[in-house]
């Protein structure tokens, strides 16, 4: 496998494959497990993720890479096989979430700054050694009538750029994720406001990436779609696609090889429909998914924490992965959901 950043970046987004975001932090996975009344322990987290990574068909055909939480990068399956080996054996690339979370930003009420830059160079060397070839850092941008502030967007864009530069020096492809929240509070903003915030955020992010000398050819952008807030949803699928493509074309240089969307709280089927409609447009980049909830929700429910449901969980995961793979080439249709 090539070790060039440019080649890894293309592999992450090409061929109708996309990324599985399985990098929920210990507190986030606890929230997910709470929905099925399962206690979050190192063993239950291992069992859940083993179910996903051993979904052979999904991993081989539809999943180009997996974003892991640090614990999982170094974790082994029940039979002692390192997860990294299972992922690689399926022809998929292991990746790692390296930020340490979005923390309240001093003097900016209601906004956060993502932490994790201190000592990041040394951590990246350790992750590379363990097999990670790409990384993720998520900056969170709140949307309301008065937010975000310029100061908070600037600070998050600078942190993303510092992170991306450190990754590239460590031979790791950075996924740059500035997420303008759909499901934040109050969540009543409309699609116009989301478009305005997403456009100015992406502009600032690419300004900072340039200042930090980040090579655009060796990175992947993970943006939100342009969509109404969670409590004010009304735009149609085609409108979400059009507005998203318009904002991305205005702000994302074509030197960036690929864009992999987050699902951000959309339902599983919405996230698929939107991605497929976006890919119906003529685009200068490869555009795919890097979904967490939209790939996992139905699988988690079907598994329900029980060993006898592993096959059912894997069927659900494989189905969503296949549907999103079709969407990554613009070929998903609603009746394919029913057929399954
Ligand atoms: P969702 O697709 O659930 O938004 O998660 C993707 C992700 O990695 C957010 O950082």
């Amino acid at each position: 496998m090539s070790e060039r950043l440019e080649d890894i970046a293309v592999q992450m987004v090409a061929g109708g494959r996309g990324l599985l975001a399985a990098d929920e932090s210990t507190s986030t996975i606890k929230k997910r497990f709470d929905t099925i009344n399962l206690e979050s322990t190192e063993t239950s987290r291992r069992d859940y993720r083993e179910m996903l990574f051993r979904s052979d068909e999904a991993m081989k055909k539809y999943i180009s890479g997996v974003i892991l939480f640090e614990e999982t990068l170094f974790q082994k399956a029940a039979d002692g096989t390192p997860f990294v080996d299972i992922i690689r054996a399926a022809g998929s690339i292991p990746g790692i979430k390296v930020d340490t979370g979005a923390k309240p930003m001093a003097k900016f009420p209601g906004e956060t700054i993502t932490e994790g830059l201190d000592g990041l160079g040394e951590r990246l060397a350790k992750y590379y050694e363990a097999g990670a070839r790409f990384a993720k850092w998520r900056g969170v941008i709140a949307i309301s009538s008065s937010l975000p502030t310029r100061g908070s967007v600037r600070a998050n864009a600078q942190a993303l750029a510092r992170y991306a530069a450190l990754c590239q020096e460590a031979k790791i492809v950075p996924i740059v994720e500035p997420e303008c929240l759909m499901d934040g509070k109050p969540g009543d903003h409309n699609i116009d406001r989301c478009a305005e915030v997403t456009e100015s955020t992406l502009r600032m992010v690419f300004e900072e990436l340039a200042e930090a000398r980040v090579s655009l050819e060796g990175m992947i952008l993970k943006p939100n779609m342009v969509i109404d807030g969670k409590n004010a949803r009304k735009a149609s699928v085609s409108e979400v696609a059009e507005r998203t493509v318009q904002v991305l074309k205005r702000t994302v240089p074509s030197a960036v090889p690929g864009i992999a969307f987050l699902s951000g709280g959309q339902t599983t089927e919405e996230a698929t429909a939107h991605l497929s409609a976006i890919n119906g447009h003529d685009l200068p980049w490869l555009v795919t998914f890097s979904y967490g909830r939209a790939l996992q929700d139905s699988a988690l429910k079907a598994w329900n924490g029980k060993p006898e449901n592993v096959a059912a969980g894997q069927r659900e995961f494989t189905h969503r992965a296949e549907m999103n793979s079709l969407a990554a080439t613009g070929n998903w249709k609603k009746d394919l959901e029913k057929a399954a």
Side-chain angles (χ1 to χ4, degrees):
M1 196 173 92
S2 166
E3 289 276 309
R4 289 178 66 232
L5 292 177
E6 294 83 343
D7 297 336
I8 297 168
V10 168
Q11 260 192 61
M12 289 164 65
V13 291
R17 296 201 303 164
L19 302 165
L20 165 63
D23 59 324
E24 298 84 2
S25 63
T26 311
S27 64
T28 301
I29 198 75
K30 182 184 176 309
K31 279 189 233 155
R32 306 278 187 266
F33 283 4
D34 283 347
T35 66
I36 57 164
N37 290 313
L38 176 69
E39 192 190 346
S40 175
T41 64
E42 197 183 333
T43 308
S44 63
R45 293 192 290 272
R46 178 200 69 191
D47 291 345
Y48 174 60
R49 287 167 172 151
E50 179 163 0
M51 172 190 78
L52 298 174
F53 307 159
R54 285 205 196 268
S55 299
D56 227 42
E57 188 193 343
M59 293 292 295
K60 284 191 173 134
K61 287 162 78 172
Y62 313 125
I63 303 295
S64 57
V66 185
I67 317 175
L68 304 166
F69 188 57
E70 188 181 59
E71 173 184 85
T72 324
L73 180 70
F74 296 100
Q75 208 169 26
K76 295 181 167 76
D79 70 0
T81 315
F83 278 146
V84 164
D85 292 353
I86 294 174
I87 292 166
R88 279 188 182 141
S92 190
I93 311 170
I96 172 86
K97 184 233 297 294
V98 302
D99 66 69
T100 55
K103 307 286 160 61
M105 182 160 155
K107 307 219 177 204
F108 287 76
E111 299 190 288
T112 60
I113 176 74
T114 299
E115 296 188 346
L117 286 173
D118 289 355
L120 181 56
E122 291 82 49
R123 283 200 289 135
L124 286 166
K126 198 174 77 176
Y127 299 147
Y128 182 93
E129 195 66 30
R133 290 297 177 270
F134 68 90
K136 181 190 106 173
W137 178 291
R138 173 172 173 259
V140 182
I141 308 300
I143 308 183
S144 72
S145 52
S146 56
L147 298 180
T149 62
R150 210 178 154 72
S152 152
V153 176
R154 179 67 73 189
N156 276 289
Q158 278 171 350
L160 277 163
R162 292 305 326 144
Y163 140 83
L166 282 162
C167 284
Q168 291 188 335
E169 275 206 350
K171 295 190 282 188
I172 286 179
V173 173
I175 295 179
V176 172
E177 180 181 8
E179 176 175 6
C180 304
L181 288 178
M182 173 187 107
D183 68 348
K185 288 196 179 80
D188 59 358
H189 60 273
N190 64 19
I191 193 168
D192 297 330
R193 178 79 183 131
C194 178
E196 172 181 67
V197 170
T198 304
E199 183 171 333
S200 57
T201 298
L202 288 174
R203 194 160 281 134
M204 220 179 256
V205 166
F206 280 97
E207 238 174 75
E208 293 296 338
L209 289 168
E211 294 280 5
R213 304 181 176 172
V214 170
S215 152
L216 298 181
E217 290 80 1
M219 64 161 274
I220 297 294
L221 179 72
K222 176 163 174 167
N224 53 282
M225 293 178 191
V226 173
I227 193 167
D228 304 293
K230 181 138 187 143
N231 301 319
R233 294 288 307 282
K234 57 174 197 288
S236 65
V237 170
S238 59
E239 191 181 352
V240 169
E242 272 161 34
R243 302 296 300 269
T244 301
V245 168
Q246 182 179 54
V247 165
L248 292 175
K249 282 191 170 172
R250 285 177 179 175
T251 53
V252 185
S254 57
V256 173
I259 293 177
F261 285 104
L262 59 95
S263 60
Q266 298 179 41
T267 67
T268 53
E269 206 174 304
E270 281 171 350
T272 307
H274 288 146
L275 178 62
S276 197
I278 288 167
N279 272 306
H281 289 252
D282 187 23
L283 304 169
W285 334 266
L286 289 161
V287 175
T288 189
F289 55 91
S290 175
Y291 292 163
R293 285 162 286 181
L295 272 174
Q296 295 183 52
D297 280 356
S298 49
L300 176 68
K301 226 173 172 179
W303 174 58
N304 202 25
K306 303 203 169 63
E308 64 271 26
N309 294 337
V310 164
Q314 291 180 329
R315 269 197 305 277
E316 286 295 333
F317 172 51
T318 306
H319 173 64
R320 284 284 23 109
E322 182 182 4
M323 294 297 110
N324 284 306
S325 171
L326 287 166
T329 52
N331 288 310
W332 174 84
K333 303 254 164 357
K334 195 176 172 65
D335 46 358
L336 294 168
E337 297 280 347
K338 289 197 204 90

